[in-house]
Structure formats: C-alpha cells, structure tokens
Amino acid sequence: MALPFVARIADNLSDLRWRIASAAARSGRTAEGVKLVAATKYVGVSLIRELIAAGCQDLGESRPQELWTKSAELADPSINWHLIGHLQRNKIDRTLPLVSLIHSADSLRLIRSIDQAAAVLDIVVPVLIEVNISGDREKHGFTPEEMESRLVDINMFDRVQVRGLMAMAGREGDFDSTRRDFASLRELRDQLRRDLPDGMSLDELSMGMSGDFETAIEEGATIVRIGSALFEMVGE
Ligand SMILES: *Cc1c(COP(=O)(O)O)cnc(C)c1O
C-alpha cells in the first residue's frame, strides 16, 4: 500500500535531519549549525505545502521565474526563499523583494546591479559569493585566486551584504575530489577571513546537495541545498 504524500515527505525530512545531525556531530557541531534549504525545482506547490507542514520553511529555487511563480502561488510569509541558481540581471528587480538570501552572486557586474536595484528598493540584500572551486568550465562563479581582491571591490557596494561563500563540487568528481573541493572552499574562507574588509562576514558556507551533503557538513558546510533526497519516492 502506498503511503500518502504527507507521510513520505515528513519521513524523508526526518531522515535527512537525522543524517544532517550525525554529520554535524562528526565535525564537532550540532544540527543547529547547519541549515537545510529544500531545493524545490522538482515539485509543484502542493508538495511544497506538505514540506512546509512537515517543518521546512527554507526553500530554494534555481530559476528566478520559478521562484516568482511559486512564491506568488504559496503566498506564505513564513517561507524564507533562497535563490540558488544563476540570476540574470533583467530579473533582479522582481527577485530582490522575494528572497531572504541569494546564494549565487557570481560576477561583479551582477553584484553591482543588485546594489543599484537594492538602493531603489531601499533594502539591503544578503548574498553569498559563488566560487568556482572545482574549476569546471561550465560553472558560474569567481575563481578562488581572484577572491581576495574582489571582496575589496564588492565591499564598496553598501546595499549588498556578504554573508559567506557558495560552491558546488566538480561534476566529474569521485568521492575524494568532492571532499577536496569542499575542504578548499572552507580553506579559502579561512584564508580570506584573516584580512576581511570591514562589515563583511564569511560565516556561511553553502555547499552540499543530495549526493554529497554529509561530506560537505563534515568539511564545514553551514547550509546544505537538498532536492532529490527530500522528494524521492514521492508520487511513485
Ligand atoms: C537542484 C539544486 C540543488 C539540489 O540538488 P539535489 O542533488 O537534487 O539535491 C542544489 N543546488 C543547486 C544550485 C541546485 O540547482
């Protein structure tokens, strides 16, 4: 007999929370130090409602338009929306008022445009700087080598508040290289912290997805973005 959707999502969520807590413990931390952002690109609003009812209020969309649509349909002020994918500059104005965190600030040009739009809206926008840690050619983000000087540039935009770094492990990566990618992001963060421009913080490390979040947490992730592990088996 098939379980109802509600039970499966709630089960998947509690299973994930348990795995997150275990990985956090292995890195000498508690589950409170790791935020789960549910990547909702695979599902519609009815399943998202079940997820919210099960206790997950941080939702991430990789496409701005999808975020606009779903946030309008759900119209739920308790949701914290995260933009986790590439933001095109012509979509900034509509996206900024909806999101609690942009994980994917991936170029100086984009960050400058966010700053300008935020000034018009009279808001300050929390962002993570996306780093292309694996060097994959098709990935967005700053190179690790340019980060130190870029942070100085980014710090001039007072409507953009840098909270940390975001990255994905390399696509071709095996287990060891995935761990190495995550460790590199943490090491880059620690190195940048030694000479951080005033007013910036690099407390957040957004790294880890369904297939590698436990490794990411062991290497210091404070935010994991998880989709398929949360929704798998649902609706079968
Ligand atoms: C889809 C997506 C995720 C989640 O991926 P899963 O492997 O399904 O957990 C995480 N981050 C980004 C940027 C995504 O687009």
Side-chain angles (χ1 to χ4, degrees):
M1 202 185 75
L3 289 168
F5 289 150
V6 187
R8 284 185 173 182
I9 287 200
D11 281 355
N12 286 351
L13 182 62
S14 70
D15 179 54
L16 271 178
R17 293 230 187 263
W18 187 85
R19 290 170 63 191
I20 287 169
S22 307
R26 290 197 293 279
S27 73
R29 296 182 293 155
T30 63
E32 284 74 56
V34 183
K35 176 173 288 190
L36 167 63
V37 173
T40 49
K41 60 172 171 259
Y42 310 101
V43 296
V45 291
S46 61
L47 289 185
I48 295 175
R49 284 201 186 92
E50 308 300 354
L51 181 67
I52 295 166
C56 181
Q57 278 153 338
D58 283 275
L59 307 182
E61 277 293 333
S62 40
R63 290 165 183 268
Q65 270 152 310
E66 190 92 4
L67 192 153
W68 304 344
T69 315
K70 284 175 178 164
S71 71
E73 281 181 62
L74 286 160
D76 180 346
S78 74
I79 300 172
N80 302 313
W81 284 103
H82 298 247
L83 183 73
I84 60 177
H86 181 61
L87 178 58
Q88 297 81 10
R89 286 189 302 145
N90 62 359
K91 302 201 172 109
I92 291 173
D93 289 350
R94 277 190 71 176
T95 303
L96 292 194
L98 304 175
V99 292
S100 64
L101 183 63
I102 294 176
H103 292 227
S104 42
D106 57 14
S107 75
L108 208 52
R109 210 158 75 121
L110 173 66
I111 293 168
R112 180 183 298 114
S113 302
I114 291 174
D115 181 68
Q116 289 165 351
V120 174
L121 293 164
D122 196 19
I123 56 174
V124 172
V125 180
V127 305
L128 306 179
I129 306 300
E130 183 169 352
V131 181
N132 185 351
I133 203 76
S134 65
D136 286 7
R137 214 170 268 170
E138 74 276 19
K139 283 209 164 78
H140 293 283
F142 293 90
T143 66
E145 296 73 29
E146 70 182 325
M147 277 299 295
E148 188 168 352
S149 68
R150 286 290 172 252
L151 283 184
V152 176
D153 300 331
I154 294 165
N155 201 43
M156 297 190 309
F157 303 121
D158 43 321
R159 295 287 177 161
V160 172
Q161 187 179 64
V162 175
R163 295 266 179 88
L165 308 178
M166 180 270 222
M168 276 167 273
R171 190 173 292 200
E172 305 297 330
D174 55 17
F175 187 75
D176 287 343
S177 74
T178 297
R179 184 176 292 281
R180 232 171 9 247
D181 285 344
F182 292 144
S184 303
L185 191 71
R186 186 198 62 231
E187 285 157 14
L188 175 66
R189 190 274 305 271
D190 293 346
Q191 179 198 324
L192 294 168
R193 259 185 176 168
R194 279 181 220 133
D195 195 14
L196 206 57
D198 280 348
M200 245 186 214
S201 98
L202 292 181
D203 293 340
E204 306 292 348
L205 288 180
S206 171
M207 56 187 193
M209 319 195 331
S210 291
D212 55 22
F213 71 90
E214 286 156 310
T215 309
I217 292 169
E218 288 165 15
E219 296 300 334
T222 63
I223 306 177
V224 291
R225 311 174 309 269
I226 298 180
S228 35
L230 199 45
F231 297 109
E232 72 193 349
M233 293 178 357
V234 169
E236 268 175 5

